[in-house]
Amino acid sequence: MEKFLSGDEAFAEGIRLACPEVISAYPITPQTIVVEKLSEMVEDGSLDAEFIHVESEHSALSCAMGASAAGVRAFTATSSQGLLYMAECLYYASGGRFPIVMMNANRSTALPWNIYGDQRDSLSQLDSGWIQAYAENAQESLDLALMSYYIAEHKTVSTPFMVNLDGFILTHTYEQVDVPEPEQAKKFLPPYETENKLDLDNPKNMAFSAGPDTNYIFKYKEHAAMFRAIPVIREAEAKFAEIFGRQYTGLTDAYKTEDAEYILITLGSIAGLCREIADTLREKGIKAGVLRIRYMRPFPAEEIAKTVKQAKAVAVLEKDISFGNEGTVFTNVNSALHSAGVTVPAYNFIGGLGGRNISHQNIIEIFEKIQSGTASRVNFIGIEEGENS
């Protein structure tokens, strides 16, 4: 069924189709609409779930972990300072191998206080052991809501999954979205089954302490499971395409990169504008391409290196800064290129912090600077040239 939905509403529809049994909710802008819609679905009977309004974001994820430990499918959502308040629990969830799905509405972190969107909240938590995906539009948001459970709950993965939507730009923008029928969703996503649960008939130790002799083994298993998610992502997308007719492209989404001399790497909703600029530049004879990172964890190091190895220059555009260094996405991309022996010049462009607009002209200037070689290693969009590092 075609519906006109915001990204938040689309994601809520995807969660409804995934049929979680417990939803632990605490409101925070610009995520609130997701849990509001889910509460309405529980109230009208279109979603059979226990909706628990908790007292904080820390409690929201704690509740979801308790539900997962009891052996049921769980969901929660947050944003910005709420995600940071959850930070302690993020590591408990991944270490406990609880395949919780959480939607994060990307929003700037304080101070200064700001409700608008950048990606510093989720990117600050890359080391927490969660799979991280970044949606571009409302349709992908809905589809990731379904696929995230398939991937997280796979017996070879058993890892929590964070789906990120750009605050306001995606969460509150309305688009035409195809909402699948419940029968299709059930065909795609099997009922939740796990051995990682409290069970009186098969008692086991959960959420335990582990000393130096064994602790690192558990951490290595978390690491290995993240890589095992890669073929499961492909498996989920193939099954999704078979049932719903929409094909996704794994960890990255390449656009006109096969012969591109200048490639812009980015993530999230800004990718659409970047592709439009690439088309404009192609009309002028400039071989431009765009590589969208769909998953920051597991990180697509091999795919990035393979895609850009023939380019003359690469730009990484991100809405994040690791203060005192560079953008976190740029650090990850540079590591991938270095490890693969790819020597293409790479430049970092940081913009959109606190929701500041990244314009059509900004993207053109990025391509112009990497083409001419006049870019600095790290460039802040909208800051005077002499103030760039």
Side-chain angles (χ1 to χ4, degrees):
M1 181 184 297
E2 292 289 328
K3 292 186 177 181
F4 193 54
L5 301 173
S6 69
D8 273 345
E9 292 172 340
F11 197 87
E13 287 287 349
I15 295 300
R16 177 180 62 83
L17 292 168
C19 299
E21 294 178 71
V22 172
I23 299 164
S24 51
Y26 191 81
I28 182 170
T29 302
Q31 166 272 121
T32 304
I33 294 170
V34 174
V35 292
E36 283 182 345
K37 289 297 179 183
L38 289 171
S39 71
E40 292 171 6
M41 294 170 185
V42 171
E43 182 66 22
D44 67 21
S46 60
L47 173 58
D48 184 12
E50 187 75 22
F51 187 93
I52 304 173
H53 187 188
V54 297
E55 69 271 18
S56 72
E57 290 89 358
H58 189 283
S59 299
L61 188 48
S62 297
C63 179
M65 283 193 290
S68 186
V72 301
R73 183 173 287 159
F75 173 76
T76 190
T78 192
S79 179
S80 183
Q81 303 298 132
L83 179 64
L84 301 186
Y85 191 20
M86 284 180 174
E88 178 186 21
C89 297
L90 293 176
Y91 293 83
Y92 275 87
S94 59
R97 309 302 293 276
F98 300 126
I100 299 159
V101 167
M102 176 166 64
M103 178 271 197
N104 178 61
N106 282 124
R107 169 186 147 185
S108 182
T109 55
L111 281 169
W113 190 255
N114 183 293
I115 65 168
Y116 298 99
D118 61 37
Q119 295 162 337
R120 290 187 297 138
D121 52 0
S122 57
L123 290 172
S124 75
Q125 300 303 316
L126 286 177
D127 297 341
S128 64
W130 286 57
I131 297 169
Q132 277 202 26
Y134 289 77
E136 182 183 351
N137 52 46
Q139 186 68 67
E140 186 176 19
S141 301
L142 185 153
D143 296 347
L144 277 171
L146 272 172
M147 285 190 282
S148 58
Y149 277 111
Y150 185 103
I151 296 159
E153 294 172 358
H154 196 281
K155 63 182 180 180
T156 66
V157 180
S158 193
T159 298
F161 198 123
M162 184 190 304
V163 183
N164 296 285
L165 279 65
D166 284 328
F168 291 104
I169 296 172
L170 179 48
T171 60
H172 285 60
T173 298
Y174 279 76
E175 304 175 56
Q176 199 76 6
V177 177
D178 176 45
V179 180
E181 294 297 327
E183 292 73 20
Q184 291 177 295
K186 288 178 182 178
K187 186 178 179 182
F188 171 75
L189 184 64
Y192 180 45
E193 293 183 4
T194 182
E195 296 180 359
N196 186 35
K197 63 180 180 179
L198 300 167
D199 187 346
L200 294 176
D201 296 324
N202 183 27
K204 62 181 62 178
N205 193 354
M206 297 179 69
F208 47 80
S209 297
D213 290 345
T214 56
N215 189 283
Y216 86 103
I217 297 173
F218 287 104
K219 296 297 104 180
Y220 178 77
K221 287 185 174 182
E222 276 188 64
H223 179 66
M226 189 72 76
F227 284 103
R228 287 197 298 271
I230 297 174
V232 177
I233 290 168
R234 299 192 189 104
E235 175 187 311
E237 291 179 347
K239 185 176 180 181
F240 194 91
E242 180 183 341
I243 295 172
F244 302 106
R246 290 188 292 279
Q247 180 67 62
Y248 289 95
T249 55
L251 303 184
T252 63
D253 180 16
Y255 183 74
K256 297 186 176 179
T257 57
E258 295 85 354
D259 65 340
E261 296 179 345
Y262 306 98
I263 297 176
L264 194 157
I265 300 172
T266 193
L267 63 162
S269 58
I270 193 66
L273 176 60
C274 294
R275 286 193 288 267
E276 289 182 19
I277 302 304
D279 288 340
T280 299
L281 294 176
R282 288 266 174 175
E283 293 173 359
K284 298 178 180 179
I286 300 170
K287 293 182 178 179
V290 176
L291 181 65
R292 177 169 71 98
I293 298 174
R294 297 186 66 239
Y295 284 79
M296 278 297 294
R297 290 293 183 272
F299 189 69
E302 292 182 7
E303 292 183 21
I304 290 171
K306 183 179 179 181
T307 301
V308 308
K309 65 180 180 179
Q310 301 299 329
K312 292 182 178 179
V314 169
V316 176
L317 171 62
E318 59 184 298
K319 300 176 182 180
D320 170 74
I321 175 65
S322 180
F323 298 110
N325 189 25
E326 58 197 12
T328 299
V329 181
F330 184 63
T331 298
N332 280 255
V333 170
N334 259 342
S335 175
L337 299 184
H338 178 77
S339 298
V342 176
T343 58
V344 57
Y347 305 94
N348 192 193
F349 289 83
I350 294 166
L353 301 185
R356 185 166 179 169
N357 184 48
I358 299 174
S359 70
H360 180 280
Q361 186 59 33
N362 290 150
I363 307 298
I364 291 176
E365 289 173 359
I366 290 172
F367 277 109
E368 289 176 346
K369 287 182 177 180
I370 66 170
Q371 184 182 12
S372 63
T374 58
S376 303
R377 174 182 169 83
V378 181
N379 307 266
F380 291 84
I381 297 172
I383 302 296
E384 291 300 321
E385 194 69 31
E387 296 176 23
N388 275 331
S389 61

